[in-house]
Amino acid sequence: MSSQKSISIQLSRWSSDLHWRVILLLLLPPLSLLVFLSLSSSPPITAFRSSLPSFAPLQSFSYTPAPAPPQPIYRARNSTTSGGQPAADRSGKTELGRSRMAVCLVGGARRFELTGPSIVERILKVYPNSDLFLHSPLDTSAFKFSLLRTAPRIAAVRIFEPKPIPETESQARVLTPGGSPNRIQGLLQYFHLVEECLTMIKAYQAQNNFTYDWIVRTRVDGYWSAPLGPKNFVPGQYVVPPGSSYGGLNDRLGIGDFITSTVALSRLSLIPLLDSAGFRQINSEKAFRAQLTTNNVSYITKPVPFCVVSDRRYKFRPGRRGVPVVALSSPGPLNGAKCRPCTAACYGRCVGSAKDPLWANGALQLCDARGEWEKGWESVFDKASGKKLAAARKRVRGLKLKQCVDDFENMKGRAGNWDAPAAVDICRLGLGS
């Protein structure tokens, strides 16, 4: 009996020891992990741990921070530094510089000898991955497009004979003829120019199996006094110039990613939607804003060094409801205003009483645009634009038929898609035989 009692006591002690050992084995790993984490948070340990990246067991115990919240898909395409400039990789190329960009150029070539070279130098050559898309009606100035021979990349060109666009009942309800030189037909022709450029872009994408990151929609008659800056590319938002909005949005220039640009450039096909939404008798600028808002596209305004060169005459001084015509040589951002090369007739406080308050920047000068362009405007332009652009203007003035034809043939050979009359026909129409 005493022997059995002794064995029972020993078994009881052994069971108790085993119980505590099991408890210790269960407690030690989490306690060790807590001690390790508290030590690893100190700088010396962190530095030491980072010096041993290949030590897999140690890494397996290291603290992994919670994943960052998902970022908008657009931001990944255009990451920026805190200074607002696109971030660069080790090669020195920015995210924007690597992006595929379509530059959609629309309108007639009236003063293209002044505007075209600025578009080439200050947009196309600034962004190496930009492709040019030209959509323009055939007229006596179309031969000036020969200046595009210096464009780095030409994706598609369409020069067409304009025809009247049949007006629909929804267009008559939505659009007002007021303010348009050619009434509603003028608006429809302009909207057609813009939307068909989008059609050209989509066709080129389908042929080459890719999608553009950005689309810059500008005008043939747009003069650029400085390069288009990277801050005008804002992911997920459509960028337009301030001012000249006439109750809506300035529709003379637009910059956006492919999704926002698809809405912004669909100017004809979205009119039925505006009709269904109840919009009535609105101008181009109001219609432009409406097509963005009804499709939930966010937009912002940013100052840009861009103006629309115009031969039209306007009242001077324009007042708040008039049309200001800016001196092309103004030092400040031109923001898509009408402009011409002129000796400024109004600046400083004078501009303050006449300017559009939205695009005012304190550095604009106004022309007296009641008459034709002043005598000697060529010298005014050459001085403001610089030697390179002045040389292009002079080249067009002395252009010969053979030079013109050769330039167009060169462009055609480099273009992805070409839909235009024969080069000799385009050149003869403007230069004669």
Side-chain angles (χ1 to χ4, degrees):
M1 286 293 291
S2 62
S3 175
Q4 290 179 353
K5 185 176 181 179
S6 175
I7 292 172
S8 176
I9 292 172
Q10 289 180 358
L11 287 173
S12 176
R13 289 177 179 175
W14 181 81
S15 176
S16 178
D17 289 344
L18 179 62
H19 176 73
W20 281 108
R21 288 178 183 179
V22 170
I23 291 175
L24 287 175
L25 286 173
L26 292 173
L27 290 176
L28 278 176
L31 287 174
S32 300
L33 180 61
L34 287 174
V35 172
F36 178 80
L37 291 177
S38 64
L39 292 174
S40 65
S41 63
S42 62
I45 297 298
T46 303
F48 176 74
R49 184 180 58 189
S50 64
S51 69
L52 298 172
S54 62
F55 196 70
L58 185 60
Q59 285 185 342
S60 67
F61 284 102
S62 64
Y63 171 68
T64 302
Q71 298 296 317
I73 198 168
Y74 298 115
R75 188 173 299 172
R77 291 184 176 182
N78 188 25
S79 57
T80 59
T81 65
S82 58
Q85 299 294 327
D89 61 17
R90 292 181 180 179
S91 68
K93 292 183 179 180
T94 64
E95 184 73 20
L96 183 59
R98 293 190 299 271
S99 300
R100 295 296 300 266
M101 184 185 303
V103 177
C104 174
L105 189 59
V106 301
R110 292 179 291 273
R111 294 283 185 174
F112 197 68
E113 71 273 26
L114 309 185
T115 61
S118 75
I119 295 168
V120 172
E121 295 296 325
R122 293 162 183 171
I123 299 180
L124 297 174
K125 289 185 178 180
V126 171
Y127 298 100
N129 286 337
S130 61
D131 291 328
L132 174 65
F133 292 81
L134 173 67
H135 189 221
S136 178
L138 178 66
D139 57 26
T140 57
S141 295
F143 77 94
K144 298 176 183 179
F145 288 132
S146 63
L147 287 171
L148 291 174
R149 76 193 192 285
T150 61
R153 295 158 60 121
I154 302 175
V157 170
R158 181 171 184 256
I159 301 174
F160 64 96
E161 295 187 18
K163 298 178 181 179
I165 298 175
E167 299 177 16
T168 66
E169 292 183 1
S170 64
Q171 292 166 354
R173 284 191 295 266
V174 171
L175 301 174
T176 177
S180 174
N182 297 312
R183 313 291 287 176
I184 289 180
Q185 186 61 211
L187 294 178
L188 297 181
Q189 293 289 346
Y190 177 52
F191 292 177
H192 170 260
L193 280 171
V194 173
E195 185 154 354
E196 283 301 303
C197 194
L198 176 62
T199 301
M200 294 165 62
I201 291 171
K202 289 181 176 180
Y204 189 76
Q205 287 182 156
Q207 291 170 7
N208 295 279
N209 194 29
F210 75 95
T211 300
Y212 283 105
D213 300 294
W214 301 98
I215 297 178
V216 177
R217 200 276 297 174
T218 187
R219 293 171 51 140
V220 167
D221 56 3
Y223 171 80
W224 290 81
S225 59
L228 173 62
K231 290 184 179 181
N232 293 292
F233 296 84
V234 182
Q237 291 186 304
Y238 202 69
V239 174
V240 298
S244 302
S245 56
Y246 303 104
L249 287 178
N250 191 327
D251 63 350
R252 298 167 185 172
L253 168 73
I255 303 165
D257 54 57
F258 183 75
I259 295 174
T260 58
S261 294
T262 298
V263 175
L265 272 58
S266 299
R267 303 228 51 186
L268 271 181
S269 58
L270 286 179
I271 290 179
L273 178 63
L274 302 186
D275 186 24
S276 300
F279 289 97
R280 296 290 180 268
Q281 295 298 289
I282 54 178
N283 59 21
S284 177
E285 290 81 7
K286 290 181 180 179
F288 183 48
R289 182 178 64 182
Q291 72 184 63
L292 295 180
T293 56
T294 54
N295 286 278
N296 299 316
V297 171
S298 177
Y299 60 83
I300 56 173
T301 61
K302 283 184 172 290
V304 287
F306 155 86
C307 67
V308 175
V309 178
S310 176
D311 285 275
R312 292 181 62 188
R313 303 182 186 187
Y314 294 96
K315 179 181 177 181
F316 183 79
R317 291 180 240 177
R320 290 189 178 273
R321 294 184 179 274
V323 178
V325 179
V326 177
L328 187 143
S329 57
S330 293
L334 302 171
N335 293 334
K338 295 293 181 70
C339 65
R340 62 165 67 177
C342 75
T343 303
C346 177
Y347 48 87
R349 291 185 178 180
C350 170
V351 177
S353 63
K355 64 194 176 184
D356 180 334
L358 292 179
W359 55 257
N361 53 51
L364 293 178
Q365 303 168 352
L366 298 185
C367 303
D368 183 349
R370 290 175 292 184
E372 296 180 353
W373 287 17
E374 66 186 66
K375 186 177 181 180
W377 65 262
E378 295 91 346
S379 297
V380 175
F381 174 82
D382 292 352
K383 183 178 179 181
S385 63
K387 293 182 179 180
K388 201 165 194 176
L389 270 61
R393 179 191 68 77
K394 294 172 183 177
R395 185 181 191 277
V396 169
R397 185 181 60 183
L399 191 63
K400 303 300 182 184
L401 181 65
K402 185 179 184 307
Q403 288 177 304
C404 178
V405 172
D406 289 345
D407 290 344
F408 271 99
E409 292 296 341
N410 174 274
M411 290 163 53
K412 183 178 180 180
R414 295 168 49 217
N417 295 323
W418 188 272
D419 181 10
V424 66
D425 293 333
I426 298 174
C427 296
R428 278 178 178 167
L429 186 60
L431 296 174
S433 57

